[in-house]
Amino acid sequence: MSASPVIEWGGLEIHVAPDGELSTLTLADTGAVVARGLAVRLAGGWVHGRTELLLDEIEQHFSLEAGGAVQARAVVRHVFDDVWSIRVQVQNLTDVDLAAPAAWLEMTTPWPARRWLAGAEGQISLDVAEPDGRLLTFTQLRGRSRLSDGLCWLTDMPMHLGPAGTPHAGYQVSWRADWLRDERVQAAVLPTWWPERTVLRDVEDTVTLELPDAAVEAAGISILEDGDARVLTAKEGVHLAQVHAGRGTTDVELAWAGDLVHAHLIPAARGLLARDPRTLAPHEVFLLGRAQQRGHLGEAPADAVTQAVESLSARPGPIAPLALAAVADEVLAHGAPELVETLPDLASRCALQPGALTCALHATLASRLSGGAPTLPLPSGAVPGDDEQQRAVAEAIIHTEMLAMRAVEQMPAATVRTLALLGAGLPGHTADQLTRAVVWAVSGNFPEHWEVERWPVPLPRVREDARARLLAERCGDEVLAWLLW
């Protein structure tokens, strides 16, 4: 086996390490990195043996040993044909039942993957910024997948194997990878019974599953049978329903969101009122000010908000975007000439990061309307991020903010990619709560005629579901603050 063979498939150049790991996947025409370190890993106890490279096929062999004896063998096989198939075959070699450590799929990507791992169904999607918008999509054909502790598990945890020679002595996993045109095509692989919505805007909303040949069970969810349909209701939060059908058991995450104001904003603001306003963080000052401005807490907190904003504006050094927005809110609400005079200095100290341009625009409008400087300094500095992916997301959000301020007829492709972090109308996990909340906030400035034709549902619904999902996840105060734009 050569030191670094390259397999060409689907417009990709796939560099293979000696142990069979796909060390780097790049686009052949541009050299852009799609993924690094792609490999099927087997949890503790498995020992990697030989690796074979046969034309467009890779085989990795593993053994599970105990007490000097081999208990099971596993083969991980990549086959690059019209589609790219990934197969895992595990076989028990003992004459007793065996619980073998599980397998997971590992890789790092320059852009967040959408990961939907739902038991009998699964899909991992990579938006690699291709000009035509196509997506490199891994689809589960066989096995049982789950997203847990950030890992994409491909098997049961552990794998339960029957004695050698019995029908259940083996365990098989099969995935396929291919380029799919867009998210609407990805949505077509969802089960036929998949509900119209999995995120509900109110605890009174229901979910209906049409299940003529399946059954459903769910802890914490009320289930009412109506012929072949099952009507589900639940309290606020994210709940898991399990649908038992022909392919096996599929997990369905259902989210019920409480009212933004009464279930989230008012309780959070009242908690902040109990603290010294001079010690509040920027997002807390912004949150408290928005609650007060909207009349949800009466007149009592007005002095507390003013004191908190004045303290915030007097702090030295770089300031967070929501600090600038909180001062702008106070200027718009009460005039506050002394605060108007501080806006240019505050804007000059606002670090460049996602959401900063949105807050700077808000502060500029507040300054103009209050007779202050007509223009304020734009946020500046290095784009934050501890790794390649975080920096790429931060740069994309900032770029999206700039594009939203221009009179562009159609939504740019780069903006569509950034907005897809909100889910694009598909199930699965994309980015952390704060990232999704900031994307939600900045997308509120988009021109009304902007739409995403490649998604299975319209942009307004994607934004609505994204906010409701964050509320159902019981997000913290910083995330809630961004949801108040």
mmCIF file of all heavy atoms in Angstrom, residues 210-252:
data_model
loop_
_atom_site.group_PDB
_atom_site.id
_atom_site.type_symbol
_atom_site.label_atom_id
_atom_site.label_comp_id
_atom_site.label_asym_id
_atom_site.label_seq_id
_atom_site.Cartn_x
_atom_site.Cartn_y
_atom_site.Cartn_z
ATOM 1 N N GLU A 210 -49.482 9.747 11.016
ATOM 2 C CA GLU A 210 -50.291 8.765 10.298
ATOM 3 C C GLU A 210 -49.523 7.456 10.264
ATOM 4 O O GLU A 210 -48.536 7.310 9.550
ATOM 5 C CB GLU A 210 -50.576 9.257 8.875
ATOM 6 C CG GLU A 210 -51.392 10.541 8.806
ATOM 7 C CD GLU A 210 -52.839 10.342 9.226
ATOM 8 O OE1 GLU A 210 -53.287 9.158 9.295
ATOM 9 O OE2 GLU A 210 -53.525 11.343 9.486
ATOM 10 N N LEU A 211 -49.990 6.485 11.066
ATOM 11 C CA LEU A 211 -49.234 5.244 11.249
ATOM 12 C C LEU A 211 -50.126 4.026 11.022
ATOM 13 O O LEU A 211 -50.527 3.337 11.963
ATOM 14 C CB LEU A 211 -48.647 5.200 12.664
ATOM 15 C CG LEU A 211 -47.670 6.326 13.036
ATOM 16 C CD1 LEU A 211 -47.357 6.279 14.517
ATOM 17 C CD2 LEU A 211 -46.401 6.204 12.219
ATOM 18 N N PRO A 212 -50.429 3.711 9.762
ATOM 19 C CA PRO A 212 -51.271 2.530 9.530
ATOM 20 C C PRO A 212 -50.592 1.220 9.868
ATOM 21 O O PRO A 212 -51.259 0.251 10.232
ATOM 22 C CB PRO A 212 -51.569 2.627 8.024
ATOM 23 C CG PRO A 212 -50.449 3.429 7.466
ATOM 24 C CD PRO A 212 -50.076 4.419 8.532
ATOM 25 N N ASP A 213 -49.259 1.166 9.758
ATOM 26 C CA ASP A 213 -48.547 -0.090 9.995
ATOM 27 C C ASP A 213 -47.421 0.095 11.011
ATOM 28 O O ASP A 213 -46.357 -0.510 10.885
ATOM 29 C CB ASP A 213 -47.962 -0.618 8.677
ATOM 30 C CG ASP A 213 -49.040 -0.914 7.659
ATOM 31 O OD1 ASP A 213 -50.001 -1.618 8.003
ATOM 32 O OD2 ASP A 213 -48.921 -0.399 6.528
ATOM 33 N N ALA A 214 -47.631 0.953 11.981
ATOM 34 C CA ALA A 214 -46.585 1.209 12.963
ATOM 35 C C ALA A 214 -47.211 1.584 14.296
ATOM 36 O O ALA A 214 -48.418 1.816 14.391
ATOM 37 C CB ALA A 214 -45.655 2.322 12.475
ATOM 38 N N ALA A 215 -46.384 1.626 15.305
ATOM 39 C CA ALA A 215 -46.837 2.014 16.639
ATOM 40 C C ALA A 215 -45.896 3.073 17.178
ATOM 41 O O ALA A 215 -44.749 3.190 16.740
ATOM 42 C CB ALA A 215 -46.858 0.798 17.569
ATOM 43 N N VAL A 216 -46.362 3.856 18.137
ATOM 44 C CA VAL A 216 -45.550 4.922 18.695
ATOM 45 C C VAL A 216 -45.633 4.873 20.213
ATOM 46 O O VAL A 216 -46.681 4.567 20.784
ATOM 47 C CB VAL A 216 -46.004 6.310 18.172
ATOM 48 C CG1 VAL A 216 -47.450 6.597 18.539
ATOM 49 C CG2 VAL A 216 -45.099 7.405 18.697
ATOM 50 N N GLU A 217 -44.519 5.159 20.845
ATOM 51 C CA GLU A 217 -44.487 5.303 22.294
ATOM 52 C C GLU A 217 -43.573 6.470 22.634
ATOM 53 O O GLU A 217 -42.622 6.769 21.910
ATOM 54 C CB GLU A 217 -44.012 4.025 22.974
ATOM 55 C CG GLU A 217 -42.605 3.594 22.604
ATOM 56 C CD GLU A 217 -42.183 2.327 23.336
ATOM 57 O OE1 GLU A 217 -42.936 1.883 24.213
ATOM 58 O OE2 GLU A 217 -41.098 1.801 23.035
ATOM 59 N N ALA A 218 -43.874 7.145 23.734
ATOM 60 C CA ALA A 218 -43.094 8.330 24.086
ATOM 61 C C ALA A 218 -43.303 8.653 25.553
ATOM 62 O O ALA A 218 -44.444 8.771 26.015
ATOM 63 C CB ALA A 218 -43.502 9.519 23.223
ATOM 64 N N ALA A 219 -42.203 8.796 26.281
ATOM 65 C CA ALA A 219 -42.283 9.194 27.684
ATOM 66 C C ALA A 219 -42.561 10.695 27.757
ATOM 67 O O ALA A 219 -41.946 11.485 27.041
ATOM 68 C CB ALA A 219 -40.972 8.865 28.392
ATOM 69 N N GLY A 220 -43.493 11.078 28.616
ATOM 70 C CA GLY A 220 -43.796 12.488 28.803
ATOM 71 C C GLY A 220 -44.702 13.081 27.757
ATOM 72 O O GLY A 220 -44.952 14.287 27.761
ATOM 73 N N ILE A 221 -45.196 12.263 26.832
ATOM 74 C CA ILE A 221 -46.082 12.733 25.770
ATOM 75 C C ILE A 221 -47.406 11.981 25.869
ATOM 76 O O ILE A 221 -47.434 10.766 26.032
ATOM 77 C CB ILE A 221 -45.451 12.500 24.383
ATOM 78 C CG1 ILE A 221 -44.189 13.356 24.220
ATOM 79 C CG2 ILE A 221 -46.436 12.823 23.268
ATOM 80 C CD1 ILE A 221 -43.498 13.172 22.882
ATOM 81 N N SER A 222 -48.506 12.710 25.751
ATOM 82 C CA SER A 222 -49.830 12.091 25.722
ATOM 83 C C SER A 222 -50.134 11.666 24.291
ATOM 84 O O SER A 222 -49.931 12.439 23.346
ATOM 85 C CB SER A 222 -50.896 13.076 26.213
ATOM 86 O OG SER A 222 -50.653 13.452 27.552
ATOM 87 N N ILE A 223 -50.620 10.441 24.128
ATOM 88 C CA ILE A 223 -50.885 9.890 22.801
ATOM 89 C C ILE A 223 -52.351 9.488 22.718
ATOM 90 O O ILE A 223 -52.840 8.692 23.525
ATOM 91 C CB ILE A 223 -49.998 8.668 22.517
ATOM 92 C CG1 ILE A 223 -48.518 9.046 22.669
ATOM 93 C CG2 ILE A 223 -50.267 8.124 21.113
ATOM 94 C CD1 ILE A 223 -47.576 7.863 22.559
ATOM 95 N N LEU A 224 -53.053 10.056 21.735
ATOM 96 C CA LEU A 224 -54.464 9.746 21.513
ATOM 97 C C LEU A 224 -54.605 9.044 20.180
ATOM 98 O O LEU A 224 -54.151 9.556 19.152
ATOM 99 C CB LEU A 224 -55.297 11.033 21.530
ATOM 100 C CG LEU A 224 -56.791 10.871 21.193
ATOM 101 C CD1 LEU A 224 -57.489 10.041 22.269
ATOM 102 C CD2 LEU A 224 -57.453 12.233 21.035
ATOM 103 N N GLU A 225 -55.209 7.861 20.167
ATOM 104 C CA GLU A 225 -55.414 7.124 18.919
ATOM 105 C C GLU A 225 -56.658 7.637 18.213
ATOM 106 O O GLU A 225 -57.703 7.836 18.821
ATOM 107 C CB GLU A 225 -55.551 5.626 19.203
ATOM 108 C CG GLU A 225 -54.297 4.986 19.756
ATOM 109 C CD GLU A 225 -54.409 3.479 19.835
ATOM 110 O OE1 GLU A 225 -55.370 2.925 19.255
ATOM 111 O OE2 GLU A 225 -53.541 2.850 20.461
ATOM 112 N N ASP A 226 -56.520 7.869 16.911
ATOM 113 C CA ASP A 226 -57.630 8.330 16.076
ATOM 114 C C ASP A 226 -57.563 7.565 14.754
ATOM 115 O O ASP A 226 -57.030 8.052 13.769
ATOM 116 C CB ASP A 226 -57.524 9.845 15.851
ATOM 117 C CG ASP A 226 -58.700 10.384 15.052
ATOM 118 O OD1 ASP A 226 -59.681 9.638 14.854
ATOM 119 O OD2 ASP A 226 -58.631 11.549 14.599
ATOM 120 N N GLY A 227 -58.105 6.345 14.733
ATOM 121 C CA GLY A 227 -57.981 5.484 13.574
ATOM 122 C C GLY A 227 -56.530 5.077 13.391
ATOM 123 O O GLY A 227 -55.885 4.565 14.310
ATOM 124 N N ASP A 228 -55.983 5.309 12.193
ATOM 125 C CA ASP A 228 -54.579 5.013 11.937
ATOM 126 C C ASP A 228 -53.655 6.119 12.433
ATOM 127 O O ASP A 228 -52.427 5.967 12.401
ATOM 128 C CB ASP A 228 -54.341 4.826 10.430
ATOM 129 C CG ASP A 228 -54.953 3.526 9.916
ATOM 130 O OD1 ASP A 228 -55.162 2.608 10.735
ATOM 131 O OD2 ASP A 228 -55.226 3.446 8.707
ATOM 132 N N ALA A 229 -54.216 7.220 12.885
ATOM 133 C CA ALA A 229 -53.409 8.367 13.306
ATOM 134 C C ALA A 229 -53.172 8.332 14.811
ATOM 135 O O ALA A 229 -53.959 7.764 15.583
ATOM 136 C CB ALA A 229 -54.089 9.670 12.922
ATOM 137 N N ARG A 230 -52.065 8.951 15.216
ATOM 138 C CA ARG A 230 -51.764 9.155 16.620
ATOM 139 C C ARG A 230 -51.573 10.655 16.835
ATOM 140 O O ARG A 230 -50.759 11.284 16.150
ATOM 141 C CB ARG A 230 -50.475 8.406 17.021
ATOM 142 C CG ARG A 230 -50.502 6.924 16.735
ATOM 143 C CD ARG A 230 -51.515 6.177 17.597
ATOM 144 N NE ARG A 230 -51.442 4.740 17.365
ATOM 145 C CZ ARG A 230 -52.115 4.101 16.418
ATOM 146 N NH1 ARG A 230 -52.907 4.794 15.609
ATOM 147 N NH2 ARG A 230 -52.006 2.796 16.271
ATOM 148 N N VAL A 231 -52.317 11.213 17.766
ATOM 149 C CA VAL A 231 -52.250 12.644 18.057
ATOM 150 C C VAL A 231 -51.465 12.820 19.351
ATOM 151 O O VAL A 231 -51.831 12.271 20.396
ATOM 152 C CB VAL A 231 -53.663 13.255 18.181
ATOM 153 C CG1 VAL A 231 -53.565 14.747 18.477
ATOM 154 C CG2 VAL A 231 -54.457 13.011 16.901
ATOM 155 N N LEU A 232 -50.378 13.603 19.295
ATOM 156 C CA LEU A 232 -49.455 13.740 20.413
ATOM 157 C C LEU A 232 -49.510 15.153 20.986
ATOM 158 O O LEU A 232 -49.540 16.139 20.242
ATOM 159 C CB LEU A 232 -48.018 13.446 19.963
ATOM 160 C CG LEU A 232 -47.608 11.982 19.775
ATOM 161 C CD1 LEU A 232 -48.429 11.278 18.716
ATOM 162 C CD2 LEU A 232 -46.128 11.900 19.415
ATOM 163 N N THR A 233 -49.508 15.240 22.314
ATOM 164 C CA THR A 233 -49.420 16.511 23.017
ATOM 165 C C THR A 233 -48.415 16.360 24.152
ATOM 166 O O THR A 233 -48.183 15.261 24.653
ATOM 167 C CB THR A 233 -50.775 16.948 23.600
ATOM 168 O OG1 THR A 233 -51.257 15.917 24.493
ATOM 169 C CG2 THR A 233 -51.798 17.169 22.500
ATOM 170 N N ALA A 234 -47.818 17.485 24.554
ATOM 171 C CA ALA A 234 -46.822 17.424 25.625
ATOM 172 C C ALA A 234 -46.642 18.797 26.237
ATOM 173 O O ALA A 234 -47.104 19.813 25.705
ATOM 174 C CB ALA A 234 -45.486 16.909 25.096
ATOM 175 N N LYS A 235 -45.969 18.834 27.383
ATOM 176 C CA LYS A 235 -45.609 20.093 28.019
ATOM 177 C C LYS A 235 -44.410 20.697 27.288
ATOM 178 O O LYS A 235 -43.793 20.073 26.439
ATOM 179 C CB LYS A 235 -45.267 19.856 29.497
ATOM 180 C CG LYS A 235 -46.428 19.370 30.335
ATOM 181 C CD LYS A 235 -46.001 19.180 31.781
ATOM 182 C CE LYS A 235 -47.167 18.702 32.640
ATOM 183 N NZ LYS A 235 -46.761 18.490 34.066
ATOM 184 N N GLU A 236 -44.092 21.952 27.653
ATOM 185 C CA GLU A 236 -42.974 22.642 27.026
ATOM 186 C C GLU A 236 -41.682 21.838 27.184
ATOM 187 O O GLU A 236 -41.424 21.239 28.222
ATOM 188 C CB GLU A 236 -42.792 24.027 27.653
ATOM 189 C CG GLU A 236 -41.628 24.801 27.062
ATOM 190 C CD GLU A 236 -41.398 26.135 27.732
ATOM 191 O OE1 GLU A 236 -42.119 26.442 28.708
ATOM 192 O OE2 GLU A 236 -40.497 26.878 27.299
ATOM 193 N N GLY A 237 -40.884 21.842 26.137
ATOM 194 C CA GLY A 237 -39.605 21.154 26.160
ATOM 195 C C GLY A 237 -39.407 20.303 24.923
ATOM 196 O O GLY A 237 -40.258 20.265 24.026
ATOM 197 N N VAL A 238 -38.268 19.628 24.852
ATOM 198 C CA VAL A 238 -37.959 18.725 23.747
ATOM 199 C C VAL A 238 -38.199 17.302 24.216
ATOM 200 O O VAL A 238 -37.658 16.876 25.243
ATOM 201 C CB VAL A 238 -36.504 18.898 23.278
ATOM 202 C CG1 VAL A 238 -36.192 17.940 22.138
ATOM 203 C CG2 VAL A 238 -36.248 20.333 22.829
ATOM 204 N N HIS A 239 -39.026 16.574 23.488
ATOM 205 C CA HIS A 239 -39.416 15.225 23.877
ATOM 206 C C HIS A 239 -39.090 14.245 22.757
ATOM 207 O O HIS A 239 -39.024 14.619 21.582
ATOM 208 C CB HIS A 239 -40.916 15.174 24.185
ATOM 209 C CG HIS A 239 -41.351 16.148 25.232
ATOM 210 N ND1 HIS A 239 -41.373 15.840 26.574
ATOM 211 C CD2 HIS A 239 -41.756 17.443 25.140
ATOM 212 C CE1 HIS A 239 -41.785 16.900 27.263
ATOM 213 N NE2 HIS A 239 -42.025 17.883 26.408
ATOM 214 N N LEU A 240 -38.914 12.999 23.116
ATOM 215 C CA LEU A 240 -38.554 11.967 22.156
ATOM 216 C C LEU A 240 -39.687 10.968 22.013
ATOM 217 O O LEU A 240 -40.101 10.340 22.996
ATOM 218 C CB LEU A 240 -37.277 11.237 22.604
ATOM 219 C CG LEU A 240 -36.726 10.206 21.622
ATOM 220 C CD1 LEU A 240 -36.220 10.885 20.356
ATOM 221 C CD2 LEU A 240 -35.610 9.398 22.280
ATOM 222 N N ALA A 241 -40.195 10.845 20.791
ATOM 223 C CA ALA A 241 -41.159 9.796 20.468
ATOM 224 C C ALA A 241 -40.441 8.727 19.655
ATOM 225 O O ALA A 241 -39.530 9.034 18.875
ATOM 226 C CB ALA A 241 -42.328 10.367 19.669
ATOM 227 N N GLN A 242 -40.845 7.485 19.832
ATOM 228 C CA GLN A 242 -40.225 6.381 19.103
ATOM 229 C C GLN A 242 -41.294 5.658 18.301
ATOM 230 O O GLN A 242 -42.281 5.175 18.855
ATOM 231 C CB GLN A 242 -39.528 5.424 20.063
ATOM 232 C CG GLN A 242 -38.327 6.060 20.769
ATOM 233 C CD GLN A 242 -37.544 5.061 21.598
ATOM 234 O OE1 GLN A 242 -38.113 4.333 22.401
ATOM 235 N NE2 GLN A 242 -36.236 5.017 21.392
ATOM 236 N N VAL A 243 -41.067 5.622 16.991
ATOM 237 C CA VAL A 243 -42.017 4.995 16.072
ATOM 238 C C VAL A 243 -41.462 3.641 15.645
ATOM 239 O O VAL A 243 -40.358 3.551 15.086
ATOM 240 C CB VAL A 243 -42.262 5.891 14.837
ATOM 241 C CG1 VAL A 243 -43.171 5.177 13.843
ATOM 242 C CG2 VAL A 243 -42.870 7.215 15.268
ATOM 243 N N HIS A 244 -42.217 2.601 15.923
ATOM 244 C CA HIS A 244 -41.802 1.236 15.589
ATOM 245 C C HIS A 244 -42.465 0.840 14.270
ATOM 246 O O HIS A 244 -43.684 0.680 14.198
ATOM 247 C CB HIS A 244 -42.217 0.272 16.704
ATOM 248 C CG HIS A 244 -41.771 0.709 18.063
ATOM 249 N ND1 HIS A 244 -40.453 0.708 18.448
ATOM 250 C CD2 HIS A 244 -42.477 1.194 19.130
ATOM 251 C CE1 HIS A 244 -40.352 1.147 19.698
ATOM 252 N NE2 HIS A 244 -41.572 1.459 20.126
ATOM 253 N N ALA A 245 -41.666 0.713 13.220
ATOM 254 C CA ALA A 245 -42.183 0.397 11.896
ATOM 255 C C ALA A 245 -41.339 -0.700 11.268
ATOM 256 O O ALA A 245 -40.499 -1.314 11.932
ATOM 257 C CB ALA A 245 -42.202 1.654 11.023
ATOM 258 N N GLY A 246 -41.535 -0.900 9.963
ATOM 259 C CA GLY A 246 -40.872 -2.006 9.285
ATOM 260 C C GLY A 246 -39.361 -1.936 9.310
ATOM 261 O O GLY A 246 -38.687 -2.968 9.399
ATOM 262 N N ARG A 247 -38.780 -0.727 9.219
ATOM 263 C CA ARG A 247 -37.319 -0.587 9.202
ATOM 264 C C ARG A 247 -36.714 -0.646 10.593
ATOM 265 O O ARG A 247 -35.494 -0.669 10.740
ATOM 266 C CB ARG A 247 -36.936 0.742 8.557
ATOM 267 C CG ARG A 247 -36.984 0.716 7.036
ATOM 268 C CD ARG A 247 -36.713 2.111 6.473
ATOM 269 N NE ARG A 247 -35.455 2.648 6.952
ATOM 270 C CZ ARG A 247 -34.283 2.479 6.353
ATOM 271 N NH1 ARG A 247 -34.219 1.762 5.246
ATOM 272 N NH2 ARG A 247 -33.176 3.026 6.828
ATOM 273 N N GLY A 248 -37.563 -0.658 11.600
ATOM 274 C CA GLY A 248 -37.072 -0.638 12.974
ATOM 275 C C GLY A 248 -37.665 0.542 13.718
ATOM 276 O O GLY A 248 -38.709 1.070 13.344
ATOM 277 N N THR A 249 -36.995 0.966 14.765
ATOM 278 C CA THR A 249 -37.490 2.057 15.595
ATOM 279 C C THR A 249 -36.805 3.359 15.218
ATOM 280 O O THR A 249 -35.578 3.456 15.235
ATOM 281 C CB THR A 249 -37.240 1.758 17.084
ATOM 282 O OG1 THR A 249 -37.946 0.563 17.445
ATOM 283 C CG2 THR A 249 -37.731 2.902 17.953
ATOM 284 N N THR A 250 -37.620 4.353 14.873
ATOM 285 C CA THR A 250 -37.107 5.665 14.496
ATOM 286 C C THR A 250 -37.441 6.678 15.574
ATOM 287 O O THR A 250 -38.589 6.764 16.022
ATOM 288 C CB THR A 250 -37.713 6.123 13.156
ATOM 289 O OG1 THR A 250 -37.359 5.187 12.137
ATOM 290 C CG2 THR A 250 -37.204 7.509 12.771
ATOM 291 N N ASP A 251 -36.432 7.436 15.989
ATOM 292 C CA ASP A 251 -36.621 8.472 16.994
ATOM 293 C C ASP A 251 -37.109 9.758 16.330
ATOM 294 O O ASP A 251 -36.577 10.171 15.293
ATOM 295 C CB ASP A 251 -35.313 8.765 17.723
ATOM 296 C CG ASP A 251 -34.755 7.542 18.441
ATOM 297 O OD1 ASP A 251 -35.560 6.668 18.805
ATOM 298 O OD2 ASP A 251 -33.533 7.460 18.622
ATOM 299 N N VAL A 252 -38.088 10.395 16.946
ATOM 300 C CA VAL A 252 -38.605 11.680 16.456
ATOM 301 C C VAL A 252 -38.510 12.683 17.599
ATOM 302 O O VAL A 252 -39.191 12.534 18.623
ATOM 303 C CB VAL A 252 -40.068 11.569 15.977
ATOM 304 C CG1 VAL A 252 -40.511 12.898 15.339
ATOM 305 C CG2 VAL A 252 -40.233 10.429 15.000
#
